[in-house]
């Protein structure tokens, strides 16, 4: 151990029961705890935001798809060949055709505009996750020719519709008659209700069987497109580029990062801003070390003068206080990382305990679709936070250390 390290370690702790070192050590302790608290808060908040981002992405992609292959004219003929071709891609797990059109639903004087999606129930389950979101009925109840319909929970609530009720579907494509152009209408039986927890889908999506949708919208054997599920959702942009090179022209490919770009970009911007705001707390705690070291330098002027007289160089004196400040920061950083990681991994347990203890609910189920506080710890975030906090700590030691190196031995001894 070098003498700079030894002296830096001794300066960190109090040695004189009645001297000023006790106060300086107390300030050092406060700096450690402040830095640890800031680092822990930053880790927990980013983990919770990652959890919300993951939960929202899961809910959206439980209804949407990783990639959609559509025709330029709104219709895709010969879709079985497309399904076979895209199914051969190494990252494509499943593919399912769909018909998507707009319509109006009417029941007992209530009218609701919806997006109608025609699906093959068996194939749709491979690319979406409706089964675990069904509140009533089953997706398999959609049978060709029986004209059944599955409604989102908000649609069912607005129409006061229950399983077994008959709703009238009004398609915008009209039928030309000698008298006028009449809208196409058909009665459907409610066979199920789903709730995915996203208002966009619960209030605006209705499911039909693919053949019923094709008949209703006079699409013959064509579909609107093909939905794909990938083994890695983050590989969707790359898969789109690869499929675009192999598929015939006249097709349009859209991945989930484009269809929901504004939403996910807003979530990411919010996460970045929270990181910067909370990093200021860490910066304040780190720069508390400046005041600690400045007081230590003032208290140790005589020691510095003796060291300089014995032959210590200004660089060695500077190293002593850099080591002291770095040690304070490192201890606080370790405490913060340990506490933050432990709390982030147990948020689902800690938050319900606090709710029971305080008698309040942070995320009420009747207000928020996500009523639990999710957490998703990313070790890359922990690494970035640790590195940034340590860099701020080291930076905070430079000015007091520079002042210590500039202490004049003769003046310091004369002052003492």
């Amino acid at each position: 151990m070098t003498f700079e390290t030894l002296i830096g370690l001794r300066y960190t702790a109090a040695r004189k029961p009645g001297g000023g070192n006790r106060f300086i050590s107390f300030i050092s302790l406060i700096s450690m705890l402040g830095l640890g608290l800031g680092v822990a808060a930053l880790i927990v908040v980013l983990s919770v935001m990652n959890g919300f981002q993951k939960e929202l992405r899961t809910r959206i992609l439980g209804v949407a798809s990783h990639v959609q292959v559509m025709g330029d004219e709104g219709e895709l003929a010969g879709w079985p060949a497309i399904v076979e071709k895209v199914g051969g891609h190494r990252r494509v797990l499943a593919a399912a055709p769909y018909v998507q059109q707009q319509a109006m639903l009417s029941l007992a004087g209530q009218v609701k505009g919806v997006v109608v999606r025609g699906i093959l129930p068996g194939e749709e389950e491979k690319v979406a996750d409706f089964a675990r979101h069904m509140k009533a009925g089953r997706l398999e109840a959609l049978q060709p020719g029986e004209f059944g319909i599955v409604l989102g929970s908000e649609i069912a609530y607005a129409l006061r519709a229950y399983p077994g009720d008959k709703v009238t579907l009004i398609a915008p494509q009209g039928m030309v008659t000698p008298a006028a152009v009449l809208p196409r209408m058909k009665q459907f039986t409610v066979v199920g209700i789903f709730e995915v927890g996203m208002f966009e889908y619960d209030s605006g999506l209705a499911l039909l069987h693919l053949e019923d949708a094709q008949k209703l919208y006079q699409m013959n054997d064509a579909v609107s497109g093909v939905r794909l599920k990938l083994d890695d959702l983050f590989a969707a942009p790359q898969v789109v580029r690869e499929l675009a090179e192999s598929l015939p022209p006249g097709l349009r490919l859209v991945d989930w990062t484009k269809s929901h770009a504004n939403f996910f970009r807003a979530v990411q911007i919010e996460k970045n801003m929270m990181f910067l705001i909370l990093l200021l707390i860490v910066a304040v705690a780190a720069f508390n070390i400046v005041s600690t070291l400045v007081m230590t330098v003032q208290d140790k002027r005589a020691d510095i003068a003796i060291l300089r007289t014995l032959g210590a160089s200004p660089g060695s004196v500077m190293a002593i206080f850099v080591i002291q400040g770095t040690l304070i920061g490192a201890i606080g950083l370790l405490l913060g990382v340990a506490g933050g990681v432990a709390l982030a991994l147990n948020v689902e347990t800690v938050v319900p305990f606090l709710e029971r203890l305080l008698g309040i609910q942070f995320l009420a189920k009747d207000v928020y679709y996500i009523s639990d506080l999710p957490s998703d710890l990313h070790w890359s975030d922990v690494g970035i936070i640790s590195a940034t906090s340590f860099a701020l700590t080291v930076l905070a030691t430079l000015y007091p250390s520079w002042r210590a190196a500039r202490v004049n031995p003769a003046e310091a001894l004369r002052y003492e």
Side-chain angles (χ1 to χ4, degrees):
M1 184 182 297
T2 63
F3 84 92
E4 293 94 339
T5 305
L6 178 61
I7 297 174
L9 293 175
R10 294 191 63 181
Y11 280 178
T12 305
R15 293 298 179 187
K16 298 178 183 178
N21 284 338
R22 287 289 187 184
F23 178 72
I24 294 173
S25 296
F26 175 75
I27 298 298
S28 300
L29 178 62
I30 295 300
S31 300
M32 290 180 191
L33 296 179
L35 182 63
L37 184 61
V39 169
L42 191 51
I43 291 174
V44 172
V45 169
L46 288 187
S47 297
V48 169
M49 295 198 69
N50 289 334
F52 273 111
Q53 191 174 20
K54 181 180 179 180
E55 182 70 17
L56 290 172
R57 184 170 58 239
T58 300
R59 295 195 179 196
I60 289 175
L61 297 182
V63 178
S65 57
H66 295 169
V67 177
Q68 296 183 61
V69 182
M70 299 171 287
D72 283 341
E73 302 298 327
E75 293 188 6
L76 182 62
W79 60 267
I82 300 296
V83 170
E84 182 179 358
K85 193 170 186 63
V86 298
H89 193 281
R90 67 186 187 283
R91 288 196 173 275
V92 176
L93 297 179
Y98 71 95
V99 169
Q100 188 154 307
Q101 298 287 347
Q102 294 186 350
M104 294 183 65
L105 294 179
S106 175
L107 175 63
Q110 303 293 325
V111 180
K112 179 74 173 175
V114 298
V115 173
V116 172
R117 181 184 295 174
I119 61 172
L120 294 174
E123 300 299 319
E124 186 70 13
E125 280 302 307
K126 299 177 182 178
V127 299
D129 196 17
F130 281 105
R132 71 186 184 95
H133 297 299
M134 297 297 294
K135 306 293 288 186
R138 297 183 307 116
L139 203 62
E140 291 75 10
L142 293 175
Q143 296 296 325
E146 297 185 4
F147 294 99
I149 187 170
V150 175
L151 303 177
S153 58
E154 294 294 332
I155 301 174
Y157 176 78
L159 297 177
R160 302 295 190 269
Y162 300 93
D165 289 347
K166 301 284 187 180
V167 298
T168 301
L169 190 149
I170 307 170
Q173 291 84 349
M175 298 182 297
V176 180
T177 67
V181 178
L182 301 178
R184 187 179 293 107
M185 296 186 293
K186 178 66 180 177
Q187 270 199 338
F188 283 79
T189 303
V190 179
V191 297
I193 296 174
F194 67 85
E195 182 178 353
V196 298
M198 292 294 294
F199 187 79
E200 175 185 356
Y201 298 117
D202 292 340
S203 65
L205 181 62
L207 305 177
L208 310 178
H209 192 278
L210 183 70
E211 293 183 14
D212 294 343
Q214 288 174 328
K215 292 177 183 178
L216 180 67
Y217 291 98
Q218 298 180 333
M219 297 181 67
N220 298 321
D221 293 330
V223 296
S224 299
V226 175
R227 290 150 47 83
L228 309 181
K229 183 176 182 179
L230 310 180
D231 60 351
D232 180 9
L233 62 91
F234 296 106
Q238 178 186 353
V239 172
V240 166
R241 290 191 295 269
E242 294 176 357
L243 290 177
E245 297 176 356
S246 59
L247 291 176
L251 300 178
R252 186 162 64 96
L253 287 84
V254 179
D255 64 84
W256 67 273
T257 63
K258 294 290 189 288
S259 57
H260 298 86
N262 291 336
F263 178 80
F264 288 109
R265 189 179 297 115
V267 173
Q268 186 61 42
I269 291 174
E270 183 180 6
K271 177 183 174 182
N272 293 339
M273 291 307 299
M274 286 299 297
F275 176 81
L276 292 176
I277 292 171
L278 291 174
L279 190 61
L280 293 177
I281 300 176
V282 177
V284 170
F287 282 101
N288 278 341
I289 298 174
V290 175
S291 59
T292 302
L293 292 182
V294 167
M295 287 188 293
T296 303
V297 169
Q298 190 66 28
D299 185 64
K300 302 296 184 181
R301 287 174 61 88
D303 294 0
I304 295 171
I306 293 172
L307 288 173
R308 291 295 308 277
T309 303
L310 293 175
S313 66
S316 297
V317 173
M318 189 173 181
I320 291 172
F321 293 95
V322 169
I323 291 171
Q324 182 184 0
T326 302
L327 179 62
I328 295 172
I331 295 174
L333 180 60
L334 290 175
L335 292 175
V337 170
V341 170
L343 185 56
L345 293 176
N346 295 278
V347 164
E348 291 84 353
T349 304
V350 174
V351 171
F353 171 76
L354 293 177
E355 289 179 339
R356 291 192 300 269
L357 182 66
L358 301 176
I360 61 174
Q361 189 172 11
F362 297 125
L363 299 174
K365 292 183 178 180
D366 57 346
V367 178
Y368 302 99
Y369 282 109
I370 300 177
S371 57
D372 298 322
L373 201 62
S375 178
D376 183 22
L377 179 66
H378 291 179
W379 289 105
S380 58
D381 289 343
V382 176
I384 293 173
I385 293 170
S386 301
T388 305
S389 302
F390 187 75
L392 289 174
T393 300
V394 175
L395 184 64
T397 65
L398 296 182
Y399 172 71
S401 302
W402 175 77
R403 285 193 59 179
R406 288 175 58 87
V407 170
N408 188 306
E411 292 182 0
L413 290 175
R414 186 167 58 252
Y415 174 80
E416 291 295 328

